[in-house]
Structures are given as structure tokens and as C-alpha cells.
Amino acid sequence: MTVTEPPGVAPGNRGNADFVRSAMAPAAKPPSSEVGAIAWLRHNLFTGPLNTLLTIGLVLLGYWTIPPLVDYLFIDAVWTGSDREACIYTAERTKVGACWAFVVDRAAFFTYGFYPLAERWRIDVFFVLLVIGIVWLLHLRAPRKDLAAIYGFVFLPVASFLLLSGTPSLGLPTVPTNLWGGMMVSVVVSAVGIVVSLPLGILLALGRRSNMPAAKLFCVIFIEFVRGVPLITVLFMASVMLPLFVPDYMQPDKLLRALVGIALFASAYMAEVVRAGLQALPKGQYEGAMSLGLGWGQMMRLIILPQALKITIPNIVNTYIGLFKDTTLVVIVGIFDFLKAIEASRIDPTWAAPTVSTTGYIYASIFYFFCCYAMSAYARSVERRLAVADKR
Amino acid sequence: MTNTAPAGLKPAKLTHETAIEMIGVNKWYGEFHVLRDIDLTIARGERVVVCGPSGSGKSTLIRCVNRLEEHQKGRIIVDGVELTNDLKRIDEIRREVGMVFQHFNLFPHLTILENCTLAPIWVKKMPKKDAEEVAMHYLTRVKIPEQALKYPGQLSGGQQQRVAIARSLCMSPKIMLFDEPTSALDPEMVKEVLDTMVALAEEGMTMICVTHEMGFARQVADRVIFMDQGQIVEANTPDEFFRDPRHERTRLFLSQILH
Ligand SMILES: Nc1ncnc2c1ncn2[C@@H]1O[C@H](COP(=O)(O)OP(=O)(O)O)[C@@H](O)[C@H]1O
Ligand SMILES: [Mg+2]
């Protein structure tokens, strides 16, 4: 942004006009009306008619919504109980808030689905491995990022598969995927989407920018096709069409089909995000690398991708947020995800009580909000750090 | 060695002493004819300065030497290897030919030292320790060994350009190409870069420099080439070139840049 100078400023005074103070004047003692809470209010909330109107509107809105919400979520809420009796209206209990007893009672089901009780520790181990991977990969100053990448993109997927689906040779009985459910399935679907879409998206982006016509055509068609249809369509195609391509005796698992659909869908979006990053790099970086004799693969791996991906991190995370929320759609191809687990419990007669449904949905929103907010906060912190690094 | 290379377009000797040979080279950008019938032979150890108005094709000419640009007609032979579409040969030639750019093109995500060791380690398969030794040697020669662990963004323009020179030298190139290495620098930093280039020239490096630093041309060039509209208009020893330019266009150009 440039500020045009007012006419009549002498050339010698350019950028340093005499009528503009160049240093702060020593502060005079403020009049009493300018200090304290009242002054703060005046300077921030009531600076003009529009701002004043907005402030009043928001206060009213808060007044109408917050107290009832607090009543509902905490004061009138039911915290303990083992069935619908705890949350129904009775002579003494004429107001019933959120039925947290329901969430507490069904929490294990929401988390593990129908996974056998004795084997649920495997899911806990999986969650721990996942958290280690996330922290190691995302923490910008964590040591040995190369090992972290191997851990996150090779070890973690293999270990999770052996752990969750079972390896009889290691003493882990097989658990068929139709028993998987709840938060664990949502996390697995998202994690697979995230882990597969980045490398595949990078390959697609590189293919789209390559000079090889066949590779380029394939990538363009794939990306544009997948981006041109809704996720639901991709999921349907994956679950209906995939079986047509393989012989009857090795029909892919229902969950696997959904995973393939999600992964391909996410990859197409990731490809476009990565491509934007590649395009943002100056041509000189390519030329500098080429002039030193680096081959194409070395140039991409050592020079171009590290820089392109770094500036793309915020966009990658944003794509992940979208993907994470989109995974709730797997329910339409019969996958028992987190939201479906809540849905199934809320219509269960054991817990038929007036506020059970709402409470279940509130629990789901808290879970999704927490995860998405964490991702978005991370993206913003990276953005800030990149902005600082740019000024260096 | 001074002025052993003959004046004019073609040095007398065309033997293994030839570093670069361009024969009837033509290049088009779409419809635009950017290089026209370039014939140029550069001997080993020869220092050539290329000048000419902006847009005359100087950058394109030297970028054809290491195949950052592809020529469409004619032959280019670098260090005895003809440039064709053979990717292996192109990489081979790029290993032998160093290039310094107007905007440095350092890798901002790597330290100065890593910038210098990257190509020796990955292209020449040099052990990391040896590569670092070589890098420190050249960083010392361009007089910034103490900056080795900083990032390019923390250095001044002149320092960055010296790093770029050191980075190229780490590959022990036989030929160095310079594309206006001082044009993007603040005036007070031009000298430090030119001094580095002079030192390099005095060691007998084969060099092609696109530059408008005529003092540098006088001091080190064996030949000065003037380009205009994609053609080599005139090529001569610096003495002759500045004292008695033969073409009107050359005279006009010199009068503009020498005031
Ligand atoms: N990639 C390109 N595509 C199209 N035209 C180009 C390209 N690069 C350079 N040119 C044109 O070719 C001419 C010569 O460019 P260049 O070799 O960079 O000139 P110089 O270095 O002498 O200023 C200029 O007119 C420029 O606009
Ligand atoms: Mg140029």
C-alpha cells in the first residue's frame, strides 16, 4: 500500500512531513473520564452509532441465549444414571437439562463401537501412537523430522492395521471391520484420508505440472473428475463399482471401499493445494537447482517440495479440516462412524428420554469442534510463524 | 595468462583447447526470433564478456550453454559434448558448468553451508565431511566463512552473490557463466562481487560474463562481445572494442553506458 503524498509537501520533507509527529509526545495525565473501564468501553464498544448498535444487539443476544444455555447444559443437567429413568420428567423434576448420564453411560460405545471388550486396549494403543505421530510431525521444532515422516507415513499405518484388524500370529485375534465403530472409525477414516492424500496429492500435483503428456493427462482427468463430483458420489462409486473390478472371492471389505473413496477424494483436493504451493515458488529456485546438475527427482525432493509444502501447511491443514468433517458421510455406505453410534444410541429405548437426542448431538459437536478448532489454531500459528520468517 | 586468445569471432585453434563451440545456433520463443545464427567459439581459459541492450538475447545465449533454454537450430558443443535431448548428457554438462544468476537463486530453506554442500553430496556423491571441507574452502575464498551457518535471507545482497559463486565453485566446474551478477546489487556491494570474479579470472577459469561493468571487461576480458537483436554484432579485444568500435550500434551502446 502506498500513501500518496498531499500536494504542497516540499520534496525535502517527503515521508517526514513537519506536521506529523515523528516521535510520541510525552503522555499528558488523562482526564478522569478517559481512564478505567468506562474509557475502555467508550474506545472499543461505543465508538460510533453502528458500533454502539452492534454492541447493544450482541449484549441482548447474549442475555437471551447464555443463561438458558447454562441452565440447560449445567444447572438442570443430569449427570448420573443408568437408563432413561434418570432423564425423564417426574413430579419432582419438572425441568430436565442435558442428559449427560446418557453420554457417560454410552461413552465406551461412542468411542469403540462394537469392538470386543477384551480387545479395546488395542484401540487405546492406536490412539496413543496416533497422538505421538501428530505431535512429532506437526511440532515445527521437533527433532528428526525425517524419522517422524517415516513414523507417520509408514510405521503408523502398518502398526495400526496390524493392531486394529488383528494379527493372529502376534497373538492379536482378528476383529472384523463390521465390529468397528464410533469415534475410532471416524479417526481411522480421517487418518487414512490424511496419510494417503498428502503423498498421493503431491504425486498428482507433480504429474499435472510434468512435461510427460500421458502422465499429465491422467492427472488432470483424475483431479478434475473427482473434484467435479460430490463426495457422496465418490463413496457410492467406491462401494458399488470397486467390487465389479475384482473377483467374487476377494470382495474388498466395506470399510476398505469407503477408505479408498475418501482417500482418492482427498487426494484430488490435496493435489490442487500442493500445486498452488509449487506455483508460488520463483522460477529461480528451479534454475538454481538445475544449474547445479541436480536431477528432477533430487530437485523436487531437496529444493522445491520442502519450500512449497512449508508455505502450504496452512492450506493443507484447512483441507484436512474439511476432510475430517466430510468423513461423517461414510454413514451412507453403511459405515458405523461416531455420529452413527450416537444416532443408534439415541433411538435405543433404554435411553428414551426427552433430552437424550440433543445431548448426543451436543457431544458430537463438542468432539468435532474441539478437533477442528485445534487444527485451525495450528494452521494459524504456522501462518504467523511463516510471516515472521518472511521478514527475516 | 593474458590475451593469448586471438581476437575476433573465431580463435585460431579449434582443438581440444575449445571449451564451448556454438555453430549456427538459432532460437525462437514462439514467433519471436531471439537468437540468430550465433557462431561462437570459446577457448579453455578464455574470459568473455557479453554486453548489449536489454532484450538482445544475452541471457538466452548463455542459458543455452547449460540447457536452461533449448536451442532449435544449430549445434552447441560444451567441453566436447554436444547438447541434445539426452538428459544424461545435459546433467553431465551442468555438472561441468557453473552458473551465477542476477538474483542469486540461493535456496532460502538451507544454510549457506548446506547451499554449498548440496550438489557435491547429491550429484557428485561426495561424503558429507569432504563436501563441507570443500565448501568452507570456497567460502573462505569468497571471504565469508563466518556466515556458513546463517540462512541466505540474513545476508546482504553482495554476500549472497558471493555465496552463489562459492556454491558453483564447489562443483569444481570447468566453465562459469555469469548472468548480470551485479545488476541486482546496491552500488556499494558491486565491488566485492567483482573482486571475487577478478580473482577467479586470474586463476584461469573459463568464463562468460554478461555484464555492463565495463571496468571489469577492461581488466579481465580476453574478448568483449556486443549483441543486439539476437545477433553477435561485434567481438573484439577490450582494447580495440572500447577504443575503436566498428559498428554504429556498438558505438551508440557504448556512448549510452559510458556517458
Ligand atoms: N521464456 C520466454 N518466453 C518468451 N520470450 C522470452 C522468454 N525469455 C526471454 N524472452 C524474450 O527474449 C528476448 C531476449 O531475452 P533475454 O535473453 O533475457 O535478453 P537480455 O538478457 O539480453 O536482456 C527478450 O525480448 C525477452 O522478452
Ligand atoms: Mg538478461
Side-chain angles (χ1 to χ4, degrees):
Chain A
M1 190 185 75
T2 48
V3 179
T4 37
E5 260 159 333
V9 176
N13 276 345
R14 258 169 216 290
N16 186 22
D18 282 346
F19 50 80
V20 177
R21 260 193 233 280
S22 56
M24 293 302 282
K29 207 167 184 254
S32 59
S33 66
E34 291 298 311
V35 288
I38 297 189
W40 185 89
L41 287 178
R42 195 203 306 267
H43 284 302
N44 289 286
L45 301 179
F46 301 101
T47 45
L50 181 65
N51 197 355
T52 307
L53 217 63
L54 279 174
T55 304
I56 293 171
L58 282 175
V59 166
L60 282 179
L61 196 68
Y63 175 75
W64 284 323
T65 54
I66 293 174
L69 208 60
V70 170
D71 277 352
Y72 186 88
L73 289 180
F74 304 107
I75 309 218
D76 298 331
V78 180
W79 300 89
T80 52
S82 55
D83 59 18
R84 62 187 294 271
E85 298 294 332
C87 296
I88 51 175
Y89 295 110
T90 58
E92 310 88 79
R93 196 167 53 222
T94 50
K95 263 176 88 184
V96 181
C99 184
W100 294 118
F102 160 70
V103 172
V104 172
D105 183 53
R106 307 300 296 171
F109 179 68
F110 293 162
T111 312
Y112 305 111
F114 303 103
Y115 214 83
L117 264 179
E119 305 295 331
R120 287 185 179 173
W121 62 270
R122 280 151 59 173
I123 297 177
D124 296 331
V125 174
F126 160 70
F127 283 146
V128 171
L129 290 178
L130 187 68
V131 168
I132 293 176
I134 291 173
V135 172
W136 195 1
L137 271 172
L138 295 193
H139 186 53
L140 285 186
R141 291 215 196 83
R144 297 307 302 267
K145 278 296 168 89
D146 47 345
L147 281 186
I150 294 175
Y151 176 92
F153 289 92
V154 181
F155 171 77
L156 192 59
V158 173
S160 307
F161 176 76
L162 297 180
L163 200 58
L164 294 180
S165 145
T167 340
S169 57
L170 294 179
L172 299 171
T174 307
V175 180
T177 56
N178 57 6
L179 296 184
W180 298 22
M183 197 185 285
M184 163 247 184
V185 157
S186 293
V187 171
V188 165
V189 173
S190 313
V192 168
I194 284 171
V195 167
V196 174
S197 68
L198 188 59
L200 205 57
I202 291 173
L203 285 182
L204 286 167
L206 292 178
R208 189 167 189 168
R209 283 172 60 89
S210 86
N211 297 325
M212 292 173 284
K216 186 171 176 156
L217 188 70
F218 171 80
C219 293
V220 171
I221 291 177
F222 178 86
I223 294 170
E224 294 306 328
F225 177 73
V226 173
R227 275 162 47 91
V229 295
L231 176 57
I232 297 194
T233 317
V234 176
L235 284 173
F236 269 132
M237 285 196 300
S239 47
V240 177
M241 281 166 58
L242 212 56
L244 302 180
F245 295 115
V246 289
D248 273 344
Y249 60 88
M250 48 177 292
Q251 279 305 310
D253 182 272
K254 193 165 71 173
L255 178 65
L256 183 64
R257 281 180 256 163
L259 288 178
V260 169
I262 289 268
L264 294 184
F265 185 78
S267 301
Y269 278 85
M270 195 52 72
E272 288 301 276
V273 168
V274 173
R275 189 167 72 112
L278 289 175
Q279 261 160 358
L281 276 201
K283 208 165 125 240
Q285 291 294 307
Y286 292 84
E287 293 177 348
M290 285 192 286
S291 74
L292 288 168
L294 293 176
W296 185 85
Q298 292 173 331
M299 171 173 81
M300 284 299 167
R301 193 160 44 87
L302 300 169
I303 306 299
I304 305 301
L305 283 176
Q307 296 186 68
L309 290 183
K310 195 164 167 197
I311 54 175
T312 315
I313 288 176
N315 284 338
I316 291 177
V317 177
N318 283 336
T319 310
Y320 284 165
I321 293 176
L323 171 68
F324 183 65
K325 291 185 292 183
D326 282 350
T327 57
T328 48
L329 288 174
V330 294
V331 71
I332 60 137
V333 289
I335 308 295
F336 204 85
D337 80 329
F338 179 55
L339 209 53
K340 179 70 184 173
I342 291 177
E343 189 69 15
S345 307
R346 103 187 155 79
I347 54 180
D348 176 359
T350 327
W351 276 101
T355 60
V356 157
S357 297
T358 325
T359 311
Y361 292 136
I362 291 174
Y363 181 56
S365 0
I366 292 173
F367 169 71
Y368 279 103
F369 177 79
F370 175 78
C371 294
C372 294
Y373 185 79
M375 288 193 259
S376 142
Y378 176 76
R380 263 178 290 128
S381 87
V382 172
E383 235 165 65
R384 262 198 310 275
R385 212 168 306 181
L386 290 178
V388 171
D390 272 352
K391 284 190 200 126
R392 197 171 56 195
Chain B
M1 135 179 160
T2 42
N3 293 338
T4 47
L9 282 176
K10 290 195 177 153
K13 277 198 291 182
L14 276 182
T15 56
H16 63 284
E17 292 296 316
T18 307
I20 301 170
E21 195 173 2
M22 299 179 115
I23 306 162
V25 171
N26 279 273
K27 176 171 176 60
W28 289 263
Y29 284 123
E31 292 286 286
F32 180 63
H33 200 168
V34 57
L35 294 181
R36 299 161 191 257
D37 296 320
I38 302 284
D39 289 303
L40 178 64
T41 304
I42 292 171
R44 250 184 237 297
E46 195 179 5
R47 280 87 49 148
V48 175
V49 164
V50 181
C51 61
S54 170
S56 56
K58 310 177 297 291
S59 299
T60 309
L61 178 79
I62 66 167
R63 288 157 61 88
C64 280
V65 173
N66 67 350
R67 197 66 163 196
L68 287 184
E69 300 289 353
E70 204 176 313
H71 61 286
Q72 276 108 31
K73 202 172 140 212
R75 300 174 65 196
I76 301 178
I77 299 151
V78 179
D79 198 32
V81 181
E82 174 154 12
L83 280 172
T84 60
N85 281 329
D86 185 349
L87 288 178
K88 262 189 106 137
R89 282 198 200 171
I90 293 172
D91 281 344
E92 212 172 285
I93 285 173
R94 284 180 182 159
R95 246 170 280 162
E96 307 291 339
V97 180
M99 183 155 194
V100 174
F101 301 86
Q102 183 174 358
H103 296 288
F104 331 134
N105 296 358
L106 294 178
F107 308 128
H109 63 304
L110 300 178
T111 63
I112 300 305
L113 187 63
E114 287 165 341
N115 264 276
C116 293
T117 57
L118 183 94
I121 289 175
W122 291 95
V123 179
K124 283 197 159 176
K125 313 290 176 211
M126 199 186 274
K128 188 165 174 229
K129 262 208 113 55
D130 298 359
E132 285 178 351
E133 229 165 78
V134 171
M136 286 315 293
H137 169 75
Y138 285 111
L139 286 174
T140 310
R141 263 189 51 185
V142 301
K143 303 199 176 68
I144 31 177
E146 72 282 359
Q147 313 281 4
L149 298 180
K150 290 196 185 163
Y151 285 86
Q154 296 167 298
L155 269 54
S156 73
Q159 290 174 321
Q160 289 192 50
Q161 194 59 296
R162 285 186 281 151
V163 171
I165 296 174
R167 179 176 76 175
S168 287
L169 293 178
C170 284
M171 288 294 284
S172 326
K174 294 183 180 154
I175 300 166
M176 285 287 287
L177 309 173
F178 293 84
D179 190 358
E180 308 206 26
T182 57
S183 312
L185 298 178
D186 292 336
E188 71 271 19
M189 293 170 187
V190 169
K191 185 169 179 301
E192 62 189 60
V193 171
L194 287 181
D195 286 348
T196 310
M197 291 168 61
V198 170
L200 197 57
E202 280 164 359
E203 283 163 32
M205 174 68 76
T206 310
M207 294 166 66
I208 309 184
C209 308
V210 175
T211 181
H212 292 158
E213 295 294 335
M214 290 303 142
F216 173 77
R218 277 210 178 86
Q219 193 179 346
V220 305
D222 298 311
R223 254 195 302 174
V224 180
I225 289 175
F226 173 69
M227 281 187 76
D228 193 17
Q229 296 179 359
Q231 285 173 310
I232 295 183
V233 175
E234 181 159 356
N236 218 329
T237 59
D239 281 351
E240 292 283 315
F241 185 85
F242 291 114
R243 191 165 44 80
D244 180 24
R246 291 185 199 145
H247 291 263
E248 190 51 42
R249 279 191 280 178
T250 318
R251 244 172 251 154
L252 191 66
F253 175 74
L254 285 177
S255 71
Q256 276 164 355
I257 64 164
L258 295 176
H259 314 298

Short mmCIF file of all heavy atoms in Angstrom, two decimals, chain B residues 24-45:
data_model
loop_
_atom_site.label_atom_id
_atom_site.label_comp_id
_atom_site.label_asym_id
_atom_site.label_seq_id
_atom_site.Cartn_x
_atom_site.Cartn_y
_atom_site.Cartn_z
N GLY B 24 26.02 -21.89 -35.78
CA GLY B 24 24.72 -21.59 -36.42
C GLY B 24 23.53 -21.77 -35.49
O GLY B 24 22.51 -22.31 -35.89
N VAL B 25 23.69 -21.27 -34.25
CA VAL B 25 22.61 -21.51 -33.28
C VAL B 25 21.47 -20.51 -33.48
O VAL B 25 21.69 -19.30 -33.60
CB VAL B 25 23.16 -21.41 -31.84
CG1 VAL B 25 22.00 -21.44 -30.84
CG2 VAL B 25 24.13 -22.54 -31.57
N ASN B 26 20.26 -21.04 -33.55
CA ASN B 26 19.06 -20.21 -33.66
C ASN B 26 18.06 -20.64 -32.60
O ASN B 26 17.98 -21.82 -32.27
CB ASN B 26 18.41 -20.40 -35.03
CG ASN B 26 19.09 -19.55 -36.09
OD1 ASN B 26 18.76 -18.39 -36.29
ND2 ASN B 26 20.08 -20.16 -36.74
N LYS B 27 17.34 -19.65 -32.09
CA LYS B 27 16.31 -19.98 -31.12
C LYS B 27 15.13 -19.04 -31.27
O LYS B 27 15.29 -17.86 -31.57
CB LYS B 27 16.88 -19.89 -29.69
CG LYS B 27 15.82 -20.12 -28.64
CD LYS B 27 16.37 -20.24 -27.25
CE LYS B 27 15.24 -20.38 -26.25
NZ LYS B 27 14.38 -21.55 -26.48
N TRP B 28 13.96 -19.61 -31.09
CA TRP B 28 12.73 -18.81 -31.16
C TRP B 28 11.95 -18.99 -29.87
O TRP B 28 11.92 -20.09 -29.31
CB TRP B 28 11.84 -19.29 -32.31
CG TRP B 28 12.33 -18.98 -33.68
CD1 TRP B 28 11.96 -17.94 -34.46
CD2 TRP B 28 13.28 -19.74 -34.45
NE1 TRP B 28 12.61 -17.99 -35.67
CE2 TRP B 28 13.43 -19.08 -35.69
CE3 TRP B 28 14.04 -20.89 -34.22
CZ2 TRP B 28 14.29 -19.54 -36.69
CZ3 TRP B 28 14.89 -21.36 -35.20
CH2 TRP B 28 15.01 -20.68 -36.42
N TYR B 29 11.33 -17.90 -29.40
CA TYR B 29 10.28 -18.03 -28.39
C TYR B 29 8.97 -17.87 -29.14
O TYR B 29 8.58 -16.74 -29.45
CB TYR B 29 10.38 -16.94 -27.33
CG TYR B 29 11.47 -17.14 -26.30
CD1 TYR B 29 12.45 -16.16 -26.12
CD2 TYR B 29 11.51 -18.28 -25.51
CE1 TYR B 29 13.44 -16.33 -25.17
CE2 TYR B 29 12.51 -18.46 -24.58
CZ TYR B 29 13.46 -17.47 -24.41
OH TYR B 29 14.43 -17.65 -23.47
N GLY B 30 8.31 -18.95 -29.47
CA GLY B 30 7.12 -18.84 -30.31
C GLY B 30 7.52 -18.25 -31.65
O GLY B 30 8.36 -18.79 -32.36
N GLU B 31 6.96 -17.07 -31.97
CA GLU B 31 7.28 -16.42 -33.24
C GLU B 31 8.54 -15.59 -33.14
O GLU B 31 9.13 -15.22 -34.14
CB GLU B 31 6.11 -15.48 -33.63
CG GLU B 31 4.83 -16.18 -34.01
CD GLU B 31 4.94 -16.83 -35.38
OE1 GLU B 31 4.92 -16.09 -36.38
OE2 GLU B 31 5.08 -18.08 -35.43
N PHE B 32 8.93 -15.29 -31.89
CA PHE B 32 9.98 -14.30 -31.68
C PHE B 32 11.35 -14.93 -31.85
O PHE B 32 11.73 -15.88 -31.15
CB PHE B 32 9.81 -13.71 -30.28
CG PHE B 32 10.82 -12.67 -29.94
CD1 PHE B 32 10.89 -11.50 -30.68
CD2 PHE B 32 11.71 -12.86 -28.90
CE1 PHE B 32 11.82 -10.54 -30.37
CE2 PHE B 32 12.65 -11.90 -28.59
CZ PHE B 32 12.71 -10.74 -29.32
N HIS B 33 12.13 -14.42 -32.82
CA HIS B 33 13.45 -14.97 -33.14
C HIS B 33 14.48 -14.35 -32.19
O HIS B 33 14.93 -13.24 -32.40
CB HIS B 33 13.78 -14.61 -34.60
CG HIS B 33 14.83 -15.49 -35.18
ND1 HIS B 33 15.10 -15.51 -36.52
CD2 HIS B 33 15.66 -16.39 -34.62
CE1 HIS B 33 16.06 -16.39 -36.75
NE2 HIS B 33 16.41 -16.92 -35.63
N VAL B 34 14.84 -15.07 -31.15
CA VAL B 34 15.63 -14.44 -30.09
C VAL B 34 17.13 -14.62 -30.32
O VAL B 34 17.91 -13.72 -30.00
CB VAL B 34 15.19 -14.94 -28.69
CG1 VAL B 34 15.26 -16.43 -28.56
CG2 VAL B 34 15.98 -14.27 -27.60
N LEU B 35 17.57 -15.71 -30.92
CA LEU B 35 18.99 -15.88 -31.28
C LEU B 35 19.07 -16.17 -32.77
O LEU B 35 18.39 -17.05 -33.28
CB LEU B 35 19.62 -17.04 -30.49
CG LEU B 35 19.76 -16.88 -28.98
CD1 LEU B 35 20.43 -18.11 -28.37
CD2 LEU B 35 20.53 -15.62 -28.62
N ARG B 36 19.94 -15.40 -33.46
CA ARG B 36 20.04 -15.56 -34.91
C ARG B 36 21.45 -15.95 -35.29
O ARG B 36 22.39 -15.18 -35.09
CB ARG B 36 19.72 -14.24 -35.62
CG ARG B 36 18.31 -13.73 -35.34
CD ARG B 36 18.26 -12.23 -35.68
NE ARG B 36 17.01 -11.66 -35.19
CZ ARG B 36 15.99 -11.37 -35.98
NH1 ARG B 36 16.06 -11.56 -37.28
NH2 ARG B 36 14.88 -10.87 -35.46
N ASP B 37 21.59 -17.13 -35.84
CA ASP B 37 22.86 -17.59 -36.42
C ASP B 37 24.06 -17.25 -35.55
O ASP B 37 24.96 -16.54 -35.98
CB ASP B 37 23.06 -16.99 -37.81
CG ASP B 37 21.98 -17.48 -38.75
OD1 ASP B 37 21.65 -18.68 -38.66
OD2 ASP B 37 21.46 -16.67 -39.54
N ILE B 38 24.04 -17.73 -34.34
CA ILE B 38 25.17 -17.44 -33.45
C ILE B 38 26.31 -18.41 -33.74
O ILE B 38 26.13 -19.63 -33.68
CB ILE B 38 24.74 -17.61 -31.98
CG1 ILE B 38 23.58 -16.69 -31.63
CG2 ILE B 38 25.93 -17.39 -31.05
CD1 ILE B 38 23.93 -15.25 -31.45
N ASP B 39 27.46 -17.87 -34.10
CA ASP B 39 28.69 -18.67 -34.21
C ASP B 39 29.67 -18.14 -33.19
O ASP B 39 30.01 -16.97 -33.22
CB ASP B 39 29.29 -18.54 -35.62
CG ASP B 39 28.45 -19.25 -36.64
OD1 ASP B 39 28.23 -20.46 -36.48
OD2 ASP B 39 28.00 -18.59 -37.61
N LEU B 40 30.08 -19.01 -32.30
CA LEU B 40 30.95 -18.52 -31.23
C LEU B 40 31.79 -19.68 -30.73
O LEU B 40 31.26 -20.77 -30.46
CB LEU B 40 30.09 -17.97 -30.10
CG LEU B 40 30.79 -17.44 -28.86
CD1 LEU B 40 31.64 -16.23 -29.22
CD2 LEU B 40 29.77 -17.05 -27.80
N THR B 41 33.09 -19.46 -30.64
CA THR B 41 33.95 -20.49 -30.10
C THR B 41 34.74 -19.90 -28.96
O THR B 41 35.31 -18.82 -29.09
CB THR B 41 34.90 -21.03 -31.19
OG1 THR B 41 34.12 -21.47 -32.28
CG2 THR B 41 35.72 -22.18 -30.64
N ILE B 42 34.72 -20.57 -27.84
CA ILE B 42 35.41 -20.05 -26.67
C ILE B 42 36.47 -21.06 -26.25
O ILE B 42 36.16 -22.25 -26.08
CB ILE B 42 34.41 -19.77 -25.54
CG1 ILE B 42 33.51 -18.61 -25.98
CG2 ILE B 42 35.13 -19.44 -24.25
CD1 ILE B 42 32.36 -18.37 -25.08
N ALA B 43 37.69 -20.59 -26.12
CA ALA B 43 38.80 -21.49 -25.79
C ALA B 43 38.85 -21.71 -24.29
O ALA B 43 38.29 -20.95 -23.51
CB ALA B 43 40.11 -20.88 -26.27
N ARG B 44 39.50 -22.78 -23.91
CA ARG B 44 39.70 -23.04 -22.49
C ARG B 44 40.47 -21.90 -21.84
O ARG B 44 41.46 -21.42 -22.42
CB ARG B 44 40.50 -24.32 -22.32
CG ARG B 44 39.67 -25.42 -21.76
CD ARG B 44 40.51 -26.64 -21.53
NE ARG B 44 39.97 -27.78 -22.27
CZ ARG B 44 38.77 -28.30 -22.05
NH1 ARG B 44 37.98 -27.81 -21.14
NH2 ARG B 44 38.35 -29.32 -22.77
N GLY B 45 40.03 -21.47 -20.73
CA GLY B 45 40.74 -20.41 -20.03
C GLY B 45 40.40 -19.01 -20.52
O GLY B 45 40.89 -18.02 -20.00
#
